[in-house]
Amino acid sequence: MKIQTHQFRQQTSRYFLGESLLHLGNHVDIHRSVLVIDENVEHHHGAKLQGWKKIIIPAGEEVKNMATVEKIIDGLISYEADRKTTLVGIGGGMLTDVAGFAASIYMRGIPFGFVPTTLLAQVDASIGGKNGVSHGKQKNLLGTITQPEFILFDYALPLTMPDEEWHNGFAEIIKYACIMDAALFDYLEVNKDRALARDVEVLRYLVEKSVDAKTKVVLEDELETGPRRWLNFGHTLGHAVEKLEHIAHGKAVAIGMVAAARFSEQLAGFPSEHTQRLIRLIADYQLPVAFTSDKTAVFDIFKLDKKREKNSIHFVLLEEIGKATTKAVPLEDLKAMMQQL
């Protein structure tokens, strides 16, 4: 196990990389903690969590809402949780987002930690302190930026995922490669067969590289006023597609990255052959590349994106593989470019 300690704006967070879920009690007091887990995690891993207080919630992105937050808060009340109780979210990205948000607002904030169980959650959702829920058609509209006290990364947990969810996790890893790590892009190309075969050493390498990449950006810009916006590469359009099509987050981001690369050709001089290289890599990891959604409906959602300022959206573009930039793009220009997708 590797232990990393990071000092954020208001919180010191510790990462336990390569730790086992069975050792959770070494890092948080079983008698002063409440677990939030979803039904799938309870099915696969509940036997490892005997004796812990649990709040079990449904699985699925459709329950990422205030009703689920209220269920968690009701559970905390039933356990007589106080301001020193630690809430531990164990599950995928939806679960960690909702659990972190509930902890951030219960009694004006209680300590919390995460055990991400999916590849997507390990490389992205659990890191960086963004917690929240969706509202209406807007993904993650309500939320906070509050850092967890700890994150426990058990590399065995994602191995129980269905194939489709395994592929889904690679979208965010490809994103990091695109925006800040050309060598990681090369590694993903060379090691695609081992990655898809769930080679644990490849998994460890990819998770740790992703954790380092995202943490570096968050430490530099925790409140998303500058470079942290790069982490939204593929997400502005991707979130709209995700809400409309009800598809997995990684699939939607993959579609969004291809669209963003095409926009980058026009707005940032990104070479078209690099767009083709990105399309090949996304397809190799069995993620979609084609934009087939209703363009007007997508535009109507993303014009209300949180990154909008007046009549422009701060859109993340690529100058080359491994180098991102952010540009305020007028909504009318984005609408015109979307018609070409």
Side-chain angles (χ1 to χ4, degrees):
M1 178 182 65
K2 298 179 184 177
I3 300 176
Q4 295 180 357
T5 302
H6 299 288
Q7 181 60 56
F8 294 98
R9 188 173 48 98
Q10 294 180 327
Q11 173 70 46
T12 299
S13 295
R14 290 181 299 163
Y15 297 170
F16 305 111
L17 294 151
E19 179 61 296
S20 170
L21 175 61
L22 292 169
H23 299 154
L24 178 63
N26 294 342
H27 307 294
V28 64
D29 185 350
I30 188 172
H31 303 294
R32 301 288 291 133
S33 306
V34 176
L35 311 183
V36 179
I37 62 178
D38 69 35
E39 296 164 332
N40 291 338
V41 175
E42 174 66 13
H43 173 71
H44 287 291
H45 307 294
K48 302 172 186 174
L49 299 166
Q50 301 285 350
W52 292 82
K53 302 183 187 78
K54 297 178 185 177
I55 301 169
I56 301 173
I57 65 173
E61 193 71 20
E62 64 276 6
V63 298
K64 190 179 184 179
N65 52 38
M66 285 302 298
T68 301
V69 173
E70 290 178 11
K71 178 173 178 147
I72 294 170
I73 290 171
D74 287 342
L76 288 168
I77 293 169
S78 72
Y79 285 125
E80 300 182 1
D82 59 30
R83 296 184 72 181
K84 298 296 184 182
T85 301
T86 299
L87 188 67
V88 183
I90 306 178
M94 182 283 289
L95 189 289
T96 58
D97 276 10
V98 174
F101 184 49
S104 299
I105 62 175
Y106 181 74
M107 293 188 172
R108 296 194 176 94
I110 62 173
F112 65 95
F114 295 143
V115 184
T117 60
T118 66
L119 180 57
L120 188 62
Q122 289 195 353
V123 301
D124 179 56
S126 65
I127 308 160
K130 283 188 177 180
N131 314 289
V133 296
S134 301
H135 181 75
K137 291 184 178 180
Q138 302 303 313
K139 185 175 170 68
N140 302 331
L141 186 66
L142 310 175
T144 64
I145 296 180
T146 313
Q147 301 296 337
E149 287 203 340
F150 70 89
I151 309 175
L152 186 155
F153 297 87
D154 182 339
Y155 299 132
L157 297 179
L159 300 179
T160 62
M161 296 165 57
D163 285 345
E164 184 176 6
E165 286 301 312
W166 181 254
H167 302 149
N168 190 41
F170 286 100
E172 296 289 352
I173 304 173
I174 293 170
K175 177 194 75 178
Y176 296 127
C178 286
I179 64 173
M180 60 190 301
D181 194 340
L184 177 58
F185 199 100
D186 295 340
Y187 182 92
L188 286 163
E189 288 178 321
V190 172
N191 291 281
K192 60 180 182 289
D193 292 337
R194 291 177 65 197
L196 291 171
R198 309 192 188 204
D199 183 300
V200 175
E201 287 308 308
V202 171
L203 171 63
R204 180 191 302 273
Y205 176 84
L206 291 175
V207 170
E208 293 183 4
K209 288 285 284 185
S210 299
V211 169
D212 288 347
K214 183 165 186 179
T215 303
K216 177 182 177 182
V217 174
V218 173
L219 285 168
E220 183 178 344
D221 179 25
E222 189 169 352
L223 299 182
E224 198 175 30
T225 58
R228 187 169 182 174
R229 287 174 172 164
W230 295 348
L231 297 175
N232 292 311
F233 176 66
H235 284 60
T236 301
L237 188 144
H239 279 164
V241 171
E242 183 177 356
K243 291 297 290 185
L244 272 179
E245 306 294 342
H246 304 289
I247 61 174
H249 177 73
K251 289 183 175 181
V253 168
I255 293 167
M257 286 193 291
V258 174
R262 297 198 187 282
F263 295 169
S264 298
E265 293 179 26
Q266 300 183 51
L267 299 171
F270 188 60
S272 59
E273 58 268 26
H274 289 190
T275 299
Q276 295 306 311
R277 188 180 171 199
L278 174 59
I279 288 171
R280 285 194 298 273
L281 185 66
I282 290 172
D284 282 343
Y285 281 87
Q286 300 181 33
L287 291 163
V289 296
F291 181 86
T292 58
S293 302
D294 181 278
K295 295 171 182 176
T296 300
V298 169
F299 182 77
D300 286 344
I301 293 175
F302 87 57
K303 71 181 180 182
L304 299 176
D305 190 272
K306 298 184 295 297
K307 295 171 286 298
R308 177 178 175 176
E309 288 185 10
K310 296 183 179 179
N311 292 316
S312 297
I313 287 183
H314 290 278
F315 211 89
V316 185
L317 305 166
L318 298 180
E319 295 180 352
E320 58 188 59
I321 288 175
K323 185 178 181 183
T325 188
T326 306
K327 184 174 182 178
V329 183
L331 284 167
E332 286 304 309
D333 291 355
L334 284 171
K335 187 174 185 179
M337 287 189 295
M338 277 191 60
Q339 297 307 313
Q340 302 170 29
L341 291 176

